């Protein structure tokens, strides 16, 4: 397999979701032409910038709008109890006191690369501001780890960082995280004793620093609703200061009259909403053994109203979710099954919808769009989402940055460029 990353100029014989067979020309990080297959310019051998995509479906690359790389892959290390959000938080706090910057970076790096292998080229990651008195009593060790990983993986996958300030995190800690390179202010005000007060103080910090916010919002089937306060405060913010609400499970429990009022506020504030099916389906509903609720936000009502909606994987194999494949196609599949979205709506939510929520430039197979693309072996979108073939090519900024394949006896193999001054280990797979 060729050394990656590799600059591409032509994607040949790709299938689009509408059935068209096309050649796609790239000019740097931008799609410059989309023509019927065989009618475009002719380039040389694959080493000269051509990628043959015969048998592959070409899609906008997924973007992950809500990840927790600092928590990822910790389930087996913690062996936590299964149950609800409160139990997950407590088991995580105990484990967090033992973490070092290096151990956090190692798991975060492996998780980011696994997501990249499956097609995700941009990740927004919430990182805890630790207040556990743990290793070296450095509350910023998670932040330092993720800033390090972001720098290491530059050019392969883009990481955007959110300071996850729990109710016990101080204003000074939030400012320190921003000083260290975190991009957005985040938190979980619904967990505070006074949710509105905690939300307003975090929004005030973001206003003071001129940065956007991404809040864990109303993350349960009952309890307080902070959405109204959030939309009220951010309504007059400039577009350059984006605002996002994640989870929003409580919206899915409301009657139409009450929900409609909140949706009007969401639209007026141009607030982006992120649904996180796998973690919310796992954590919510344990107290309802009969007619167990799905635990999702009101995805259909939000989409129908024109709200900007993205979807993410959230937690992967940690106390908040013991499973997960690091694959946006899994999230899309859950949106179809549990959220009753169409195949097109579901894939949009994990790709261009997620990018819209994150205020990223549009990407996809159209002239002028950014060349953030995923090619997966499939005949159509239903085949791609249902079967999630491991045969994939991942294109970031017009360059082939990851390629994986399967054969009769070999598990998926990925080739990735090493970006760290001290090379980090690549994923290892054994023969079956």
């Amino acid at each position: 397999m060729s050394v990656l990353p590799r600059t591409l100029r032509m994607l040949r014989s790709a299938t689009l979701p509408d059935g068209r067979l096309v050649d796609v020309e790239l000019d740097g990080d931008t799609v410059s032409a989309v023509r019927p297959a065989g009618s475009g310019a002719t380039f040389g051998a694959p080493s000269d910038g051509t990628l043959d995509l015969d048998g592959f479906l070409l899609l906008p690359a997924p973007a992950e709008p809500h990840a927790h790389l600092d928590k990822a892959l910790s389930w087996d290390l913690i062996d936590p109890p299964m149950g609800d959000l409160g139990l997950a938080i407590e088991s995580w706090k105990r484990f967090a006191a033992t973490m070092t910057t290096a151990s956090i970076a190692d798991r975060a790096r492996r998780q980011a690369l696994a997501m990249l292998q499956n097609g995700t080229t941009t990740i927004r990651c919430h990182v805890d501001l630790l207040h556990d008195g743990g290793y070296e009593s450095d509350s910023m060790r998670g932040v330092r780890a993720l800033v390090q990983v972001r720098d290491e993986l530059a050019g392969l996958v883009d990481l955007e960082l959110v300071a996850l300030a729990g109710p016990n995190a101080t204003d000074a800690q939030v400012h320190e995280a921003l000083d260290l390179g975190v991009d957005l202010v985040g938190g979980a005000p619904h967990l505070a004793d006074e949710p509105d007060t905690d939300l307003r103080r975090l929004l005030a910090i973001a206003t003071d620093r001129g940065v956007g916010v991404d809040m864990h919002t109303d993350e349960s089937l009952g309890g307080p609703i902070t959405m109204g306060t959030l939309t009220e405060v951010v309504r007059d913010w400039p577009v350059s200061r984006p605002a996002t609400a994640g989870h929003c499970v409580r919206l899915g429990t409301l009657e139409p009259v009450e929900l409609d009022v909140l949706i009007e506020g969401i639209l007026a504030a141009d607030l982006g909403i992120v649904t996180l099916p796998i973690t919310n389906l796992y954590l919510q509903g344990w107290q309802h053994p009969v007619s167990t609720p799905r635990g999702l936000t009101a995805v259909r009502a939000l989409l129908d109203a024109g709200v900007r909606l993205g979807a993410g994987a959230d937690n992967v194999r940690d106390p908040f979710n013991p499973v997960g494949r690091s694959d946006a196609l899994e999230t899309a599949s859950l949106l179809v099954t549990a959220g009753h979205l169409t195949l097109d709506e579901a894939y949009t939510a994990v790709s261009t919808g997620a990018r819209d929520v994150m205020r990223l430039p549009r990407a996809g197979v159209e002239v002028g769009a950014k060349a953030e693309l995923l090619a997966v072996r499939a005949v159509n979108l239903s085949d791609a989402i249902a079967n999630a073939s491991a045969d994939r090519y991942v294109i970031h900024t017009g360059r082939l940055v990851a390629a994986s394949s399967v054969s009769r006896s070999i598990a998926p193999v990925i080739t990735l460029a090493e970006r760290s001054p001290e090379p980090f280990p690549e994923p290892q797979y054994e023969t079956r």
Side-chain angles (χ1 to χ4, degrees):
M1 188 172 291
S2 303
V3 174
L4 304 181
R6 176 161 63 88
T7 299
L8 297 173
R9 293 188 293 160
M10 169 72 80
L11 311 178
R12 194 179 301 283
S13 299
T15 301
L16 300 186
D18 62 9
R20 286 182 295 155
L21 197 64
V22 298
D23 293 337
V24 181
E25 296 179 28
L26 308 181
D27 183 5
D29 67 352
T30 303
V31 174
S32 58
V34 180
R35 299 188 175 93
S39 65
T42 302
F43 293 99
S47 60
D48 295 327
T50 299
L51 182 63
D52 185 1
L53 294 180
D54 183 32
F56 284 79
L57 186 71
L58 188 60
L59 301 164
E64 174 54 69
H66 188 119
H68 291 271
L69 302 182
D70 56 341
K71 295 181 174 74
L73 310 180
S74 61
W75 173 271
D76 292 336
L77 299 173
I78 299 173
D79 191 23
M82 296 183 72
D84 60 15
L85 181 59
L87 290 174
I89 291 172
E90 290 307 312
S91 63
W92 169 251
K93 284 181 178 178
R94 289 192 295 271
F95 177 72
T98 72
M99 301 185 308
T100 65
T101 299
S103 69
I104 298 168
D106 177 65
R107 287 184 292 99
R109 185 186 302 113
R110 284 186 286 132
Q111 178 60 23
L113 290 176
M115 295 167 72
L116 174 63
Q117 173 185 354
N118 286 323
T120 297
T121 61
T122 300
I123 301 169
R124 178 181 285 180
C125 172
H126 295 256
V127 55
D128 281 15
L129 306 187
L130 300 168
H131 48 83
D132 48 38
Y135 187 85
E136 296 181 350
S137 296
D138 178 10
S139 64
M140 293 294 118
R141 59 192 186 276
V143 169
R144 297 180 201 279
L146 267 298
V147 169
Q148 173 189 326
V149 171
R150 180 177 63 186
D151 292 343
E152 289 174 352
L153 300 185
L156 297 177
V157 58
D158 292 336
L159 262 64
E160 184 180 42
L161 303 180
V162 185
L164 180 49
N168 295 322
T170 66
D171 292 6
Q173 285 181 309
V174 181
H175 282 288
E176 184 179 1
L178 293 170
D179 291 340
L180 289 172
V182 167
D183 303 291
L184 304 171
V185 173
H190 58 281
L191 299 177
D193 292 336
E194 298 182 4
D196 270 17
T197 300
D198 191 52
L199 175 57
R200 289 181 185 277
R201 68 116 182 174
L202 294 173
L203 295 174
I205 294 172
T207 299
D208 178 57
R209 296 295 295 260
V211 300
V213 298
D214 189 335
M215 292 292 164
H216 288 61
T217 303
D218 305 340
E219 193 181 350
S220 63
L221 294 166
I225 299 174
T226 62
M227 180 63 76
T229 298
L230 178 57
T231 56
E232 170 197 328
V233 174
V234 306
R235 178 175 299 195
D236 297 325
W237 279 15
V239 175
S240 59
R241 197 190 309 157
T244 306
H247 293 286
C248 308
V249 173
R250 195 72 167 83
L251 296 184
T253 71
L254 301 179
E255 293 297 326
V257 173
E258 190 175 3
L259 177 61
D260 288 347
V261 171
L262 290 176
I263 288 179
E264 287 179 10
I266 291 169
L267 288 169
D270 196 22
L271 185 71
I273 302 295
V274 175
T275 184
L276 302 158
I278 192 167
T279 296
N280 289 144
L281 288 168
Y282 168 68
L283 285 177
Q284 304 299 325
W286 289 75
Q287 298 81 17
H288 302 271
V290 177
S291 298
T292 305
R294 284 187 167 93
L296 298 182
T297 193
V299 288
R300 170 53 57 202
L302 291 166
L303 273 180
D304 288 350
V307 171
R308 292 184 297 113
L309 180 74
D314 199 6
N315 302 86
V316 177
R317 297 185 60 205
D318 66 20
F320 302 85
N321 172 31
V323 293
R325 297 200 308 267
S326 309
D327 188 355
L329 293 178
E330 179 182 36
T331 301
S333 179
L334 287 169
L335 288 175
V336 173
T337 305
H340 293 170
L341 298 190
T342 68
L343 293 163
D344 286 336
E345 289 171 335
Y347 191 77
T348 295
V350 301
S351 56
T352 54
R355 291 183 65 87
D356 186 25
V357 166
M358 298 168 72
R359 299 293 193 185
L360 299 172
R362 77 183 194 282
V365 191
E366 57 180 280
V367 175
K370 293 299 180 183
E372 303 287 326
L373 303 167
L374 167 64
V376 56
R377 188 175 294 281
V379 297
N380 54 32
L381 190 57
S382 65
D383 181 20
I385 293 176
N387 292 309
S389 170
D391 283 0
R392 305 187 192 192
Y393 294 105
V394 184
I395 298 167
H396 173 49
T397 63
R399 301 187 306 161
L400 182 64
V401 293
S404 58
S405 62
V406 292
S407 67
R408 183 166 52 88
S409 60
I410 303 298
V413 177
I414 185 168
T415 302
L416 288 168
E418 293 179 344
R419 302 292 296 182
S420 173
E422 296 181 3
F424 48 82
E426 296 180 3
Q428 300 296 315
Y429 298 89
E430 298 177 356
T431 58
R432 291 183 177 135

